[in-house]
Amino acid sequence: MLIRDAEVAGRGRVDVRVEGGRVVEIGRGLAGPVDVDGRGGALLPGLHDHHVHLAALAAEAASVRVGPADVLGRAGFAAALRGGDPGEWVRAVGYHESVAGELDRWALDAVAPDRPVRVQHRSGAMWFLNSAALHATGLDPDEGEDGHRDGRIWREDERLRHLVPPVRLDLEGVGRRAARLGVTGFTNADPHPGPGLAQTLSVLPQRLLVMGVDPPTKIMLDDPTLPTPTELAATVAQLRPRPVAVHCVTRVQLLVTLLALDEAGPVAGDRIEHAAVVPAETVDWIRRLGVTVVTQPHFPVERAHAYATDVDPDDRPHLYRCRSLAEAGVPVAAGTDAPYGAHDPWAVMRAAVQRADGEAVPPGTALRMFLGRPEQPSVIRTLEPGAAADLCLLHTPLREALDALSADVVRAAYVGGRVLHRQ
């Protein structure tokens, strides 16, 4: 493939030749038939979403969305759950307490008693089941385990997966939508990838890194079961020489992680996922450890209303740091966390630029957070001979694209020189 007259960073408007899935030549006036006229549009490495949950994202096609942006109040929530035929399973996602208050088995029974219902909290950490669903799964609320009597299932996705009807995964749709956004790669961040997950996800046309199958290994932390720093250090040591990606969404989780990495010793590729609360005094500590922060800079924008009431006032100034980490020399990359956040990296970039909390970054920085290597997210991929031909061609020069930060600028996407999307 020969792409004529595309803007490549550091080279201006040039031609790019691709053979065998790799960029083999870059220059002006390259000989040969032209396959693509770039028309001066920017040619970038394809975007890589460094933190996403692909099976859950693919299951959304068979789910009812019941988040604050999807339904209005208790009446809207109830109508969404009763939209199907009586007796059929309902899988609802994206719930937050601002919709209709706290959920449990009895609250769901009150609005949808005639069908099995399971509702996932927006965080992805908990499912709520009504009585019909508990009976159908064998988690009998009258005779079952005490921990399930209220219908709240915490961090038991793998077990629940074997008890509920299978959900059709629209992975083809996920791949098509991502290609239109210029996404050529994903890092799947499930903490416990089930057997065969990598094979299931392989139908996606994008390149994949599946945590736990590929390095790094994901480590989930929850405050109620939080290990001591020494215990976590021992877990990390057992996993070495593989790098780890530690899930940190609270202040105490971050502190335990930093102490554990100090004790075990960091290695190249170690990551902190989310870094939702980063007290100012820990920024230099993170820099000294050399770990990469893979964050979601859009959450303070997407969830501003909820965070204003749900987050401890002492933590609000430290949410999802971006600019302060980058300026301190901490390697930073971004992931959408879809479906628990917006799946569009360009929307994430816009939010990162528009933040009003002192953590906004320039457009170029926001873009680069999605241009890192899958295994080293903070190392930016560049177009040069020998590089994989995972490409995103834009309609416009880069300067105009950075002004817009919109998926509308994406004209084509390629993986290994193979067309994923083209307008």
Side-chain angles (χ1 to χ4, degrees):
M1 179 174 66
L2 180 60
I3 302 174
R4 179 82 75 197
D5 189 28
E7 180 191 66
V8 173
R11 296 176 181 264
R13 294 174 69 157
V14 294
D15 307 333
V16 177
R17 192 188 310 280
V18 172
E19 292 179 1
R22 295 194 171 273
V23 175
V24 296
E25 191 176 8
I26 301 177
R28 292 181 174 85
L30 297 185
V34 176
D35 298 283
V36 180
D37 182 355
R39 302 196 293 265
L43 185 65
L44 311 173
L47 305 184
H48 189 95
D49 189 337
H50 293 287
H51 187 114
V52 63
H53 301 275
L54 291 165
L57 182 58
E60 279 206 319
S63 306
V64 178
R65 291 208 57 85
V66 291
D70 308 297
V71 297
L72 183 61
R74 180 182 174 85
F77 178 58
L81 297 184
R82 293 198 296 261
D85 295 331
E88 289 188 353
W89 271 88
V90 177
R91 182 185 193 272
V93 297
Y95 186 81
H96 182 265
E97 290 76 15
S98 60
V99 172
E102 298 287 341
L103 284 190
D104 56 24
R105 160 198 170 194
W106 301 283
L108 288 176
D109 286 349
V111 297
D114 62 343
R115 69 204 67 200
V117 173
R118 58 178 173 132
V119 179
Q120 188 181 43
H121 191 268
R122 182 174 67 181
S123 66
M126 183 178 289
W127 286 93
F128 308 96
L129 276 66
N130 70 352
S131 294
L134 287 168
H135 284 294
T137 57
L139 301 173
D140 195 304
D142 301 315
E143 301 177 6
E145 304 171 40
D146 290 342
H148 297 138
R149 289 181 187 272
D150 61 3
R152 295 179 170 218
I153 314 296
W154 171 264
R155 295 278 189 222
E156 292 193 61
D157 286 49
E158 183 61 27
R159 182 186 183 193
L160 199 59
R161 193 175 296 122
H162 296 290
L163 299 176
V164 299
V167 174
R168 186 181 71 85
L169 301 182
D170 184 18
L171 288 165
E172 292 82 2
V174 168
R176 286 193 303 271
R177 290 192 299 272
R180 290 196 293 267
L181 301 172
V183 175
T184 60
F186 295 110
T187 293
N188 190 74
D190 295 354
H192 305 293
L197 177 63
Q199 180 64 33
T200 298
L201 298 180
S202 66
V203 302
L204 289 163
Q206 285 82 5
R207 294 194 191 271
L208 292 173
L209 186 154
V210 179
M211 285 187 184
V213 177
D214 310 304
T217 297
K218 178 86 174 281
I219 297 178
M220 281 294 301
L221 298 182
D222 287 308
D223 284 2
T225 57
L226 195 64
T228 67
T230 297
E231 290 169 342
L232 181 57
T235 298
V236 171
Q238 290 173 354
L239 294 169
R240 295 303 195 213
R242 287 171 70 100
V244 295
V246 188
H247 167 102
C248 293
V249 295
T250 65
R251 181 187 297 245
V252 67
Q253 289 171 18
L254 178 66
L255 293 175
V256 167
T257 297
L258 297 180
L259 288 165
L261 289 175
D262 257 343
E263 185 173 338
V267 302
D270 280 345
R271 301 162 44 144
I272 294 174
E273 304 298 309
H274 307 300
V277 182
V278 181
E281 61 270 19
T282 66
V283 172
D284 190 58
W285 191 356
I286 298 171
R287 181 194 61 77
R288 286 188 285 105
L289 285 168
V291 297
T292 296
V293 170
V294 179
T295 188
Q296 287 71 49
H298 53 310
F299 278 2
V301 178
E302 280 187 8
R303 303 178 178 183
H305 178 72
Y307 284 176
T309 56
D310 294 354
V311 176
D312 189 300
D314 289 341
D315 287 340
R316 289 176 202 158
H318 312 297
L319 290 174
Y320 292 94
R321 289 184 182 272
C322 197
R323 179 177 181 173
S324 56
L325 290 175
E327 289 183 346
V330 174
V332 180
T336 63
D337 201 24
Y340 311 115
H343 74 283
D344 179 356
W346 298 95
V348 175
M349 295 179 218
R350 288 196 302 276
V353 169
Q354 295 167 358
R355 286 176 61 166
D357 55 3
E359 292 296 331
V361 296
T365 299
L367 174 61
R368 286 191 292 275
M369 288 195 292
F370 287 97
L371 298 183
R373 297 177 183 174
E375 69 284 357
Q376 292 180 287
S378 64
V379 178
I380 305 304
R381 290 167 288 133
T382 58
L383 296 190
E384 56 190 21
D390 300 347
L391 309 171
C392 177
L393 178 63
L394 307 184
H395 287 290
T396 68
L398 182 59
R399 176 180 50 80
E400 295 178 27
L402 292 177
D403 286 340
L405 288 181
S406 167
D408 292 340
V409 303
V410 176
R411 178 180 165 195
Y414 308 85
V415 168
R418 176 172 50 88
V419 178
L420 296 190
H421 165 72
R422 183 163 57 198
Q423 290 185 341

